[in-house]
Each structure stands twice: as C-alpha cells, then as structure tokens.
Amino acid sequence: MSASEFEIIHDHFERHGGANRHDVILGIGDDGAIVQPPADQQLVVAIDTLVEGVHFPIQTRAEDIGWKSLAVNLSDLAAMGAEPAWFTLALTLPESSNSWLKGFSAGLFELADQYGIQLVGGDTTRGPLAISIQVAGYVPAGKALRRTGAQAGDLIGVCGNIGDAMLGLSVLMDEPPLSEISTDRLVASLNRPRPRVREGLRLRDLAHSAIDVSDGLLSDLGHLLATARLGAELDYAALPFSAAGRQLLQEVPQHLPQLLDGGDDYALCFCLPPDRLATLQARFADEPDVLGIIGRVTETPGVHCQDAQGKRWVLQASGYEHFRQEDRWAY
Ligand code: ADP
Ligand code: MG
C-alpha cells in the first residue's frame, strides 16, 4: 500500500519523533522548528548522506538503513565531544512503501531513543533512495574536540574496534577472507554501528584532538596528523582488532593494511598528552576494554608499525574517496 507525502510524515515520523525534549519549542509541522539551546553552550551541527548502492548494499534491511543513517551522524557529534539534541531528516524514496517506512522509522527511533535525540523536521521527496540527516548537539562554550591540536609525543587512542565493518562487507559480498568467523556479528558491525557518544564526552578537556573513524583508521588518523605534519608509531599488539581481525592476521599477516584501512567502523580516534592518561582511564573504569592506546605521535611523518613477525610496515591510507574513479559503484 502506498501513502501520500503527508501520511508518510504523520504516520512514520511525526507520531513518534524520538525523545520528547523540553528544549524543543516547536517540532514537526511548521515551516521550521524552534529549539532553545541552553545558555553558555555552543551548538555543533553536522550532516551526512547515505545513498543506496554507495553507502549501503541494495539488499540492506530498512531497519538497518534507519539505524545507520542516524548512527553515522551521532558519530560526528561524538567526535566533537557534543551531546546529541535534535535532528532533521531529508528522505528521498523511490516509492512510498508502508512496510519499508515502518522498518526504517523503527530502526531510526530505536537509536534516537537511546541517545535522547529528537526529530524536529525534515523533507520528503521522490527519487532514488537517499537519506540525509542533520544533527545538532551542544558542548559547553569552547570545549568541543577538533581534528587539529595533535603534538609529537601524544598517545594515540581508539575507542571501539577497527576492521570489523570491512570484514562484514566482505561477508555480504560473498568473499569472506576467513571461513571460521562469526559472520552475524561482523555484518551487524557494518549495518548497526554503535556511535561512541559517551566516549566522546569523556574525552572532553583531556584529548588534544579527535576524529571518528568513518573512512578507515589510517585515513582518519592521517587527518589528525596532517595539519602539523606529524607521523605515528603504532603498537601492533595494541591495535583494536576483534577476535575475527586477529584470526585473519594470524592466517594472512599481509592483510594488516586492509584491516587498518577498512571504512565504516565509527570508532573514535584521538591524541592525548601522556600525563592525562590516568585521568582518562579513571573515566573509563566501568568499561576499560573500550579504551585502547594504540601508539604515539612522532615528529617523523608516516605511519609505522612492527608486526608480530618483526616486519616493519609503512602504512599508507587509501580510504574511500567518492570522486576517485575506482571507488565508484562500490556495491
Ligand atoms: P514545507 O513545504 O513548508 O517545507 P513540508 O510539507 O515539506 O513543508 O513539511 C511539512 C512539515 O513536515 C515540516 O514541519 C517538515 O519539517 C516536516 N517533515 C517533512 N518531511 C519530514 C520527514 N521526513 N521527517 C520529519 N519531518 C518531516
Ligand atoms: Mg514551508
């Protein structure tokens, strides 16, 4: 059954809307939303688009698309150390399928409710499936984390695993590099990334800089290092791979660069002065395993790592780039 634009908005988005926040003066229904940011806080605003066939495979379930569209945006707020508050949704659909919309909004609001973020407006149009979500969150004035600020001697930290989403994609593409792996968990890493919002808040006042790992660790760490022309020495034993990633490296050590370069993990990567490590660890006392220290910032440019066999790697980022010829039509 198909629905009109207004029925879609009312039935699938307006009725739920996510959290019912006191700082939303006017939500869905008017020409614009009105929100009341707390005094002395700054707003952090970010937007990300997901296009079918580019950001998720065509067979992806509507629930997972809804979840992931918001998750990738919450991950940007996390990387800024911001507390999620509101979002808007621009949805382009090839047809108005009620069952698809039901699934999409269920996945979307499942995540929205976990973070107390409210949908305050949007736009609904017809065309090839694409979802843009704009998020806004707040930080105390001057406290947002940025990509710039790394210094030689800083520790490099990561919250979350690296490489699982890439392994999940290879499972979906029917070319898993390993036979004995928990494929469901890897596919879930790809389809239902967990934004590291709480972790981002814990980095405030401590980290020199931070970024979320969306295009691959090597590429995103490269952004933290680039502005100051710094490099990194990574500690192989401390790299944040899951059991599946470790197993892959044991069998095929040459996969190290691909694992470090796979996208879609939505972990946080940050640079931390060593004398603040104890304070940060104390903030993570309830989940110490989430906090990984994977290396150090060096004055020598380039990212280096010595593996378990004693081989020294110079790691180059390739990262996904939309306008590079070989990266088109990823699925
Ligand atoms: P306008 O033509 O003035 O832009 P619309 O008819 O597009 O208004 O939208 C009507 C209301 O529904 C607006 O408040 C808009 O923010 C909201 N809206 C439209 N699409 C969505 C959506 N996909 N999710 C949430 N709110 C939406
Ligand atoms: Mg209008």
Side-chain angles (χ1 to χ4, degrees), residues 259-275:
L259 264 192
L260 286 176
D261 209 27
D264 263 0
D265 283 309
Y266 301 99
L268 288 187
C269 180
F270 58 92
C271 296
L272 180 80
D275 61 356

PDB file of all heavy atoms in Angstrom, residues 259-275:
ATOM      1  N   LEU A 259      42.970  -4.152   6.890  1.00  0.00           N
ATOM      2  CA  LEU A 259      42.186  -4.088   8.131  1.00  0.00           C
ATOM      3  C   LEU A 259      42.229  -2.680   8.718  1.00  0.00           C
ATOM      4  O   LEU A 259      41.222  -2.170   9.218  1.00  0.00           O
ATOM      5  CB  LEU A 259      42.761  -5.057   9.165  1.00  0.00           C
ATOM      6  CG  LEU A 259      42.144  -6.431   9.310  1.00  0.00           C
ATOM      7  CD1 LEU A 259      42.672  -7.091  10.561  1.00  0.00           C
ATOM      8  CD2 LEU A 259      40.622  -6.375   9.352  1.00  0.00           C
ATOM      9  N   LEU A 260      43.404  -2.060   8.649  1.00  0.00           N
ATOM     10  CA  LEU A 260      43.549  -0.717   9.220  1.00  0.00           C
ATOM     11  C   LEU A 260      42.922   0.345   8.325  1.00  0.00           C
ATOM     12  O   LEU A 260      42.756   1.486   8.725  1.00  0.00           O
ATOM     13  CB  LEU A 260      45.029  -0.388   9.418  1.00  0.00           C
ATOM     14  CG  LEU A 260      45.724  -1.101  10.572  1.00  0.00           C
ATOM     15  CD1 LEU A 260      47.205  -0.757  10.584  1.00  0.00           C
ATOM     16  CD2 LEU A 260      45.099  -0.709  11.912  1.00  0.00           C
ATOM     17  N   ASP A 261      42.579  -0.034   7.115  1.00  0.00           N
ATOM     18  CA  ASP A 261      42.121   0.932   6.134  1.00  0.00           C
ATOM     19  C   ASP A 261      40.639   0.775   5.812  1.00  0.00           C
ATOM     20  O   ASP A 261      40.071   1.551   5.056  1.00  0.00           O
ATOM     21  CB  ASP A 261      42.948   0.731   4.852  1.00  0.00           C
ATOM     22  CG  ASP A 261      43.090   2.015   4.065  1.00  0.00           C
ATOM     23  OD1 ASP A 261      43.024   3.090   4.687  1.00  0.00           O
ATOM     24  OD2 ASP A 261      43.244   1.936   2.848  1.00  0.00           O
ATOM     25  N   GLY A 262      40.011  -0.283   6.362  1.00  0.00           N
ATOM     26  CA  GLY A 262      38.601  -0.534   6.064  1.00  0.00           C
ATOM     27  C   GLY A 262      37.736   0.567   6.668  1.00  0.00           C
ATOM     28  O   GLY A 262      38.024   1.055   7.756  1.00  0.00           O
ATOM     29  N   GLY A 263      36.671   0.955   6.007  1.00  0.00           N
ATOM     30  CA  GLY A 263      35.825   2.042   6.497  1.00  0.00           C
ATOM     31  C   GLY A 263      34.668   1.556   7.352  1.00  0.00           C
ATOM     32  O   GLY A 263      34.558   0.370   7.659  1.00  0.00           O
ATOM     33  N   ASP A 264      33.825   2.514   7.769  1.00  0.00           N
ATOM     34  CA  ASP A 264      32.523   2.233   8.370  1.00  0.00           C
ATOM     35  C   ASP A 264      32.547   1.716   9.805  1.00  0.00           C
ATOM     36  O   ASP A 264      31.552   1.171  10.279  1.00  0.00           O
ATOM     37  CB  ASP A 264      31.744   1.227   7.513  1.00  0.00           C
ATOM     38  CG  ASP A 264      30.764   1.928   6.579  1.00  0.00           C
ATOM     39  OD1 ASP A 264      30.704   3.168   6.617  1.00  0.00           O
ATOM     40  OD2 ASP A 264      30.056   1.235   5.832  1.00  0.00           O
ATOM     41  N   ASP A 265      33.684   1.858  10.497  1.00  0.00           N
ATOM     42  CA  ASP A 265      33.729   1.333  11.870  1.00  0.00           C
ATOM     43  C   ASP A 265      33.110   2.283  12.895  1.00  0.00           C
ATOM     44  O   ASP A 265      32.596   1.848  13.914  1.00  0.00           O
ATOM     45  CB  ASP A 265      35.174   1.041  12.280  1.00  0.00           C
ATOM     46  CG  ASP A 265      35.659  -0.246  11.639  1.00  0.00           C
ATOM     47  OD1 ASP A 265      34.947  -1.258  11.756  1.00  0.00           O
ATOM     48  OD2 ASP A 265      36.726  -0.225  11.012  1.00  0.00           O
ATOM     49  N   TYR A 266      33.231   3.582  12.656  1.00  0.00           N
ATOM     50  CA  TYR A 266      32.688   4.595  13.564  1.00  0.00           C
ATOM     51  C   TYR A 266      33.244   4.467  14.979  1.00  0.00           C
ATOM     52  O   TYR A 266      32.548   4.695  15.961  1.00  0.00           O
ATOM     53  CB  TYR A 266      31.157   4.626  13.514  1.00  0.00           C
ATOM     54  CG  TYR A 266      30.743   4.923  12.095  1.00  0.00           C
ATOM     55  CD1 TYR A 266      30.344   3.913  11.235  1.00  0.00           C
ATOM     56  CD2 TYR A 266      30.883   6.207  11.586  1.00  0.00           C
ATOM     57  CE1 TYR A 266      30.074   4.176   9.898  1.00  0.00           C
ATOM     58  CE2 TYR A 266      30.613   6.478  10.263  1.00  0.00           C
ATOM     59  CZ  TYR A 266      30.204   5.462   9.438  1.00  0.00           C
ATOM     60  OH  TYR A 266      29.945   5.721   8.123  1.00  0.00           O
ATOM     61  N   ALA A 267      34.519   4.065  15.063  1.00  0.00           N
ATOM     62  CA  ALA A 267      35.253   4.179  16.328  1.00  0.00           C
ATOM     63  C   ALA A 267      35.697   5.636  16.465  1.00  0.00           C
ATOM     64  O   ALA A 267      35.542   6.433  15.531  1.00  0.00           O
ATOM     65  CB  ALA A 267      36.454   3.247  16.301  1.00  0.00           C
ATOM     66  N   LEU A 268      36.214   6.004  17.633  1.00  0.00           N
ATOM     67  CA  LEU A 268      36.809   7.334  17.809  1.00  0.00           C
ATOM     68  C   LEU A 268      38.313   7.179  17.881  1.00  0.00           C
ATOM     69  O   LEU A 268      38.809   6.250  18.510  1.00  0.00           O
ATOM     70  CB  LEU A 268      36.344   7.982  19.113  1.00  0.00           C
ATOM     71  CG  LEU A 268      34.923   8.481  19.208  1.00  0.00           C
ATOM     72  CD1 LEU A 268      34.737   9.246  20.518  1.00  0.00           C
ATOM     73  CD2 LEU A 268      34.580   9.388  18.030  1.00  0.00           C
ATOM     74  N   CYS A 269      39.041   8.092  17.246  1.00  0.00           N
ATOM     75  CA  CYS A 269      40.496   8.104  17.339  1.00  0.00           C
ATOM     76  C   CYS A 269      40.894   9.471  17.903  1.00  0.00           C
ATOM     77  O   CYS A 269      40.304  10.491  17.529  1.00  0.00           O
ATOM     78  CB  CYS A 269      41.091   7.890  15.948  1.00  0.00           C
ATOM     79  SG  CYS A 269      42.890   7.897  15.936  1.00  0.00           S
ATOM     80  N   PHE A 270      41.859   9.493  18.819  1.00  0.00           N
ATOM     81  CA  PHE A 270      42.203  10.765  19.456  1.00  0.00           C
ATOM     82  C   PHE A 270      43.674  10.811  19.849  1.00  0.00           C
ATOM     83  O   PHE A 270      44.344   9.777  19.899  1.00  0.00           O
ATOM     84  CB  PHE A 270      41.315  11.000  20.691  1.00  0.00           C
ATOM     85  CG  PHE A 270      41.421   9.909  21.725  1.00  0.00           C
ATOM     86  CD1 PHE A 270      42.327   9.998  22.764  1.00  0.00           C
ATOM     87  CD2 PHE A 270      40.618   8.780  21.643  1.00  0.00           C
ATOM     88  CE1 PHE A 270      42.434   8.987  23.713  1.00  0.00           C
ATOM     89  CE2 PHE A 270      40.726   7.750  22.583  1.00  0.00           C
ATOM     90  CZ  PHE A 270      41.628   7.859  23.623  1.00  0.00           C
ATOM     91  N   CYS A 271      44.157  12.008  20.105  1.00  0.00           N
ATOM     92  CA  CYS A 271      45.524  12.225  20.566  1.00  0.00           C
ATOM     93  C   CYS A 271      45.467  12.799  21.972  1.00  0.00           C
ATOM     94  O   CYS A 271      44.697  13.730  22.245  1.00  0.00           O
ATOM     95  CB  CYS A 271      46.258  13.183  19.637  1.00  0.00           C
ATOM     96  SG  CYS A 271      46.427  12.495  17.973  1.00  0.00           S
ATOM     97  N   LEU A 272      46.296  12.241  22.859  1.00  0.00           N
ATOM     98  CA  LEU A 272      46.201  12.544  24.289  1.00  0.00           C
ATOM     99  C   LEU A 272      47.592  12.770  24.869  1.00  0.00           C
ATOM    100  O   LEU A 272      48.480  11.926  24.680  1.00  0.00           O
ATOM    101  CB  LEU A 272      45.562  11.329  24.987  1.00  0.00           C
ATOM    102  CG  LEU A 272      45.364  11.403  26.488  1.00  0.00           C
ATOM    103  CD1 LEU A 272      44.116  12.205  26.821  1.00  0.00           C
ATOM    104  CD2 LEU A 272      45.256   9.999  27.090  1.00  0.00           C
ATOM    105  N   PRO A 273      47.803  13.878  25.580  1.00  0.00           N
ATOM    106  CA  PRO A 273      49.101  14.028  26.250  1.00  0.00           C
ATOM    107  C   PRO A 273      49.258  12.916  27.297  1.00  0.00           C
ATOM    108  O   PRO A 273      48.298  12.622  28.016  1.00  0.00           O
ATOM    109  CB  PRO A 273      49.019  15.403  26.934  1.00  0.00           C
ATOM    110  CG  PRO A 273      47.714  15.984  26.566  1.00  0.00           C
ATOM    111  CD  PRO A 273      46.887  14.998  25.815  1.00  0.00           C
ATOM    112  N   PRO A 274      50.444  12.273  27.352  1.00  0.00           N
ATOM    113  CA  PRO A 274      50.617  11.096  28.209  1.00  0.00           C
ATOM    114  C   PRO A 274      50.280  11.358  29.684  1.00  0.00           C
ATOM    115  O   PRO A 274      49.763  10.464  30.359  1.00  0.00           O
ATOM    116  CB  PRO A 274      52.101  10.749  28.069  1.00  0.00           C
ATOM    117  CG  PRO A 274      52.562  11.435  26.831  1.00  0.00           C
ATOM    118  CD  PRO A 274      51.656  12.586  26.574  1.00  0.00           C
ATOM    119  N   ASP A 275      50.516  12.560  30.157  1.00  0.00           N
ATOM    120  CA  ASP A 275      50.270  12.798  31.591  1.00  0.00           C
ATOM    121  C   ASP A 275      48.774  12.882  31.932  1.00  0.00           C
ATOM    122  O   ASP A 275      48.407  13.032  33.095  1.00  0.00           O
ATOM    123  CB  ASP A 275      51.018  14.057  32.078  1.00  0.00           C
ATOM    124  CG  ASP A 275      50.578  15.309  31.343  1.00  0.00           C
ATOM    125  OD1 ASP A 275      49.751  15.198  30.415  1.00  0.00           O
ATOM    126  OD2 ASP A 275      51.059  16.412  31.703  1.00  0.00           O
TER     127      ASP A 275
END
